[in-house]
Amino acid sequence: MILSIIVPVYQAKNTLCRCADSILSKRDIEFELILVNDGSTDGSQELCDRYAQQDSRVLAVHQPNRGVSAARNRGILEAKGKYLLFVDSDDYVEPDYIQTLLDTAETYQEKYGHIWCNIQTVLHGYIKKPHFVSEESIQIFDRCDIMTLHELWMDASPCNKLYRKEVISANELIFPEDISLGEDLIFNLKYLDAEKNTGIVILSRPLYNYVREDRESLDNRYIPNLIQIYGRVHQELSDHLTRWEVGEDAWKKFYNICFYNYERILRNTFDKKNRQTSHEKYCENNQILSSQEFQTLLHERTCFVHPAYEKAYQIGKYQLVRILDSLTKLKRSFKRMEEIR
């Protein structure tokens, strides 16, 4: 079999049909669609079984709820295809998603080990924007360009990438099941490392539709162990950048991204869902600001930080950051009032 498409399914009753139908509409290629029901209780499990009964290309697999990584890993174990694709049950693909990725692999994979496509965001039924825009039909990169690809939001998702099952199996690659953020990027870094051919072909036309409705963004949800998660992701990135001997520009981008993630961590501490007292929250963030890692990132980063915030970070008092946040909000309120007048 040429291709296995793996779809993790959890509480996806309202979106699964759109997702599965967009895949199954392609009938002139031999492939299997593996629906991995990860302990759904909303009727998704019955939908998976119905698709399997109605279409011989569909395999429905059921397991207790263990998370999206475990569902993808189960799909990998079940897969019989030479190539693998991953699609999320919230999303849908363009009609030529499968054909174009396979054709591109046939044309380029002897020279380039990685075949990716562009992604476009869909918000409230409207296509918002692709992750990048280019007049060229394909873009050529190398794994050493990973930080540039990270800036384009192209590196983390597994859903715009064609994987070789042989590479995954031979290197025993799995999605980490002990973290709920950054697991995709860690898997992709290990796959990039395992594939001997380091070249990356990216199709400029968006073939994958990332749907934002009903998804809680990272900025809007509280993650208790965010600093540990980002610490692990940063270490994985650093280890691979070192092994791949990337240039100075890549390291600058790495420091900027790590600094941005630390600002997320600091905001996350003061999320309303965090049950700590205000005193405990300030102590935690002050400890982060005073850490050697944060101060190194503050010094090494090249991204813009307002001088007032930079000074507050250097002093290591998050109380000053909160005061600056309040003043910024007040300034914006006055500006809106002036615009109304």
Side-chain angles (χ1 to χ4, degrees):
M1 181 174 292
I2 188 68
L3 177 67
S4 298
I5 303 174
I6 299 166
V7 178
V9 178
Y10 179 69
Q11 308 295 66
K13 181 181 178 181
N14 295 329
T15 60
L16 181 57
C17 290
R18 177 183 61 192
C19 173
D21 290 347
S22 72
I23 296 168
L24 294 170
S25 64
K26 190 65 178 174
R27 295 195 168 274
D28 54 348
I29 296 177
E30 181 191 20
F31 69 88
E32 63 176 348
L33 171 60
I34 304 173
L35 302 177
V36 184
N37 172 45
D38 190 46
S40 300
T41 58
D42 68 339
S44 296
Q45 62 274 36
E46 288 83 6
L47 268 179
C48 292
D49 288 335
R50 190 183 310 163
Y51 272 101
Q53 292 166 5
Q54 294 175 351
D55 195 318
S56 60
R57 297 173 296 172
V58 180
L59 172 65
V61 179
H62 302 279
Q63 66 180 28
N65 179 240
R66 293 169 50 203
V68 65
S69 288
R72 288 181 180 141
N73 290 336
R74 177 66 182 277
I76 292 171
L77 289 174
E78 299 286 346
K80 300 180 180 66
K82 176 183 177 181
Y83 296 106
L84 302 184
L85 286 171
F86 296 94
V87 178
D88 285 345
S89 58
D90 308 80
D91 303 331
Y92 62 98
V93 301
E94 291 297 299
D96 56 342
Y97 168 76
I98 298 171
Q99 185 72 64
T100 304
L101 284 171
L102 289 176
D103 287 348
T104 305
E106 185 177 337
T107 303
Y108 289 100
Q109 201 152 50
E110 285 190 11
K111 189 175 181 181
Y112 302 98
H114 307 275
I115 308 299
W116 300 1
C117 72
N118 203 350
I119 300 173
Q120 59 192 8
T121 300
V122 179
L123 185 62
H124 305 307
Y126 295 95
I127 293 173
K128 190 177 180 182
K129 60 178 179 179
H131 283 198
F132 72 89
V133 177
S134 173
E135 294 181 359
E136 302 295 328
S137 60
I138 64 167
Q139 300 287 305
I140 304 296
F141 293 92
D142 186 83
R143 70 183 181 190
C144 289
D145 301 314
I146 190 66
M147 298 315 301
T148 297
L149 296 169
H150 192 82
E151 289 181 328
L152 295 172
W153 296 84
M154 290 299 297
D155 62 327
S157 173
C159 298
N160 65 323
K161 299 170 178 65
L162 187 69
Y163 299 89
R164 288 201 297 136
K165 175 76 181 296
E166 179 185 11
V167 174
I168 293 174
S169 299
N171 294 275
E172 299 180 342
L173 302 182
I174 61 170
F175 289 87
E177 298 181 18
D178 57 336
I179 57 174
S180 59
L181 178 71
E183 72 280 4
D184 299 344
L185 178 57
I186 291 173
F187 179 85
N188 285 331
L189 288 171
K190 293 183 182 300
Y191 186 87
L192 283 165
D193 201 49
E195 171 59 69
K196 294 179 181 179
N197 194 327
T198 64
I200 303 170
V201 173
I202 303 183
L203 297 160
S204 300
R205 192 165 70 82
L207 299 174
Y208 188 89
N209 297 290
Y210 170 71
V211 182
R212 281 292 304 271
E213 281 91 340
D214 300 324
R215 281 179 170 168
E216 194 174 24
S217 71
L218 175 61
D219 291 328
N220 294 327
R221 63 186 172 108
Y222 173 60
I223 302 175
N225 59 336
L226 189 59
I227 190 168
Q228 288 81 15
I229 291 174
Y230 273 137
R232 181 170 169 182
V233 173
H234 293 169
Q235 189 61 56
E236 288 282 355
L237 262 174
S238 177
D239 289 347
H240 284 85
L241 293 179
T242 301
R243 184 154 53 249
W244 298 339
E245 299 180 342
V246 301
E248 182 181 349
D249 185 59
W251 282 109
K252 288 180 180 179
K253 293 175 179 179
F254 170 76
Y255 293 133
N256 289 343
I257 287 166
C258 290
F259 182 80
Y260 172 66
N261 288 341
Y262 259 100
E263 289 195 309
R264 279 180 165 179
I265 291 167
L266 294 167
R267 292 197 304 271
N268 182 70
T269 304
F270 274 81
D271 190 281
K272 293 178 181 179
K273 293 180 182 177
N274 185 353
R275 299 295 184 180
Q276 290 180 304
T277 66
S278 292
H279 176 72
E280 290 171 332
K281 292 176 182 178
Y282 278 119
C283 286
E284 182 175 326
N285 276 4
N286 288 344
Q287 188 175 2
I288 292 171
L289 292 179
S290 301
S291 68
Q292 182 177 351
E293 182 175 359
F294 181 84
Q295 289 298 321
T296 299
L297 290 173
L298 182 63
H299 180 263
E300 294 291 342
R301 56 106 190 118
T302 55
C303 56
F304 175 77
V305 177
H306 192 283
Y309 278 93
E310 184 175 12
K311 190 65 177 177
Y313 290 149
Q314 290 171 345
I315 294 171
K317 293 294 183 182
Y318 199 71
Q319 291 89 336
L320 297 176
V321 177
R322 295 284 283 181
I323 291 171
L324 289 171
D325 287 344
S326 298
L327 291 174
T328 300
K329 289 179 182 177
L330 189 61
K331 183 178 179 180
R332 288 173 181 168
S333 296
F334 281 132
K335 185 176 181 180
R336 283 195 296 267
M337 290 173 62
E338 289 295 325
E339 289 173 352
I340 293 172
R341 290 179 183 176

